[in-house]
Amino acid sequence: MDATESSTPPTENPRVAVLGTGIMGAPMARNIAAAGLAVRVWNRTAAKARPLAEHGCTVAGSPDEAVADADVIVTMLTDGDAVESVMSGLAPPRGAVWAQTTTVGTAATDRLAAQAAKLELEFLDAPVLGTRAPAEQGALTVLAAGPERARRRAAPVFDAVGSRTVEAGRVGHASRLKLVVNSWVLALNSATGEAVALAEGLGVDPRAFLDLVSGGPLDNGYLHAKAEAVLAGDYTPSFSVANAAKDARLVREAAENAGLRADLAAASENRLLRAAESGHGDEDMAAGYFAAFPPE
């Protein structure tokens, strides 16, 4: 099934559990609460969850407590292993919807779907497009793959966190589509960092490069956003180097499993890992720029 705009109307006012309140999960929880839904939140580092109490969320002391009476469970954690670990051993209400929004790749999505079946949960493969700013604005794009009934039940949650929900077919297809998008994002980010570093290394003003391509076929907004972050030295994380490296690995592995060579994803992975090793892992992925320079 091709990805299509969702026309499924929300029919419920679900109780929601959000597991993971980091850069993405915290604003998502705030927006769900702002939409008038009852929200319980949990985070492994409790200090990241506590401020959400001021925004109408109930802060749970454990994932079990968070999901105790949930109609919809949202996971927004680091990776597939983290999601699998947190959900293991839980006893959520039978028949609840599990909206899995973390980018975990193809193999982990299959494992998590099987885990959902054992827990008797309705599983939605629902990664989101967007970083910190659109998460804070409730303007993410939700890629929702899974049963129509589960999508309908989760619709109030998706409407709260996103400006657009795209139906992506059966479970697994949303994660595949997300990897394709991320392959493009990673390539743009790496190319931007390398071009700025090359300009500096050759004694060219990077802004002369940006001015030259502005408004033409080589221009795009992402180039300017990441180049400006580098030129301003502002690496406030919107999406971290470490997470971007994880996603590059997921793209590369998915390509290899499909019998393809993802050379750009592999190069981005190597660059981001080098940047992380030089101390930039928690900074915005624009800090992949530092991979251009030899270690000190």
Side-chain angles (χ1 to χ4, degrees), residues 125-152:
D125 168 27
V128 296
L129 302 182
T131 52
R132 182 198 293 268
E136 291 175 345
Q137 297 160 5
L140 297 168
T141 296
V142 181
L143 307 179
E148 187 273 342
R149 178 175 180 274
R151 294 197 309 270
R152 184 175 66 247

Side-chain angles (χ1 to χ4, degrees), residues 24-213:
M24 299 292 289
M28 289 169 66
R30 286 196 297 271
N31 287 324
I32 296 168
L37 304 183
V39 185
R40 288 187 181 180
V41 298
W42 172 85
N43 195 75
R44 194 181 301 276
T45 303
K48 291 184 178 180
R50 291 192 193 105
L52 291 169
E54 300 176 8
H55 297 272
C57 300
T58 299
V59 180
S62 68
D64 291 281
E65 181 184 342
V67 306
D69 64 351
D71 299 304
V72 177
I73 300 164
V74 177
T75 46
M76 177 51 85
L77 297 156
T78 306
D79 54 24
D81 289 343
V83 176
E84 193 169 9
S85 174
V86 168
M87 293 298 293
S88 295
L90 296 188
R94 180 181 177 183
V97 174
W98 175 6
Q100 204 307 101
T101 67
T102 312
T103 301
V104 299
T106 56
T109 295
D110 292 342
R111 294 198 308 271
L112 296 175
Q115 187 178 22
K118 292 179 181 178
L119 292 170
E120 298 185 85
L121 300 174
E122 293 191 74
F123 186 73
L124 288 176
D125 168 27
V128 296
L129 302 182
T131 52
R132 182 198 293 268
E136 291 175 345
Q137 297 160 5
L140 297 168
T141 296
V142 181
L143 307 179
E148 187 273 342
R149 178 175 180 274
R151 294 197 309 270
R152 184 175 66 247
R153 293 175 62 195
V157 177
F158 293 161
D159 289 346
V161 304
S163 59
R164 180 184 181 202
T165 297
V166 176
E167 294 179 13
R170 65 177 183 268
V171 168
H173 281 204
S175 284
R176 286 165 170 77
L177 181 55
K178 177 67 188 293
L179 291 181
V180 174
V181 173
N182 279 8
S183 72
W184 178 237
V185 171
L186 289 160
L188 287 174
N189 183 75
S190 291
T192 299
E194 189 165 284
V196 172
L198 180 62
E200 293 173 337
L202 297 179
V204 173
D205 182 354
R207 293 195 183 279
F209 153 63
L210 295 173
D211 291 342
L212 186 62
V213 301

Side-chain angles (χ1 to χ4, degrees), residues 223-246:
L223 163 65
H224 290 277
K226 293 306 179 185
E228 289 299 336
V230 172
L231 295 175
D234 181 2
Y235 299 105
T236 303
S238 178
F239 191 75
S240 74
V241 164
N243 276 329
K246 178 263 295 183

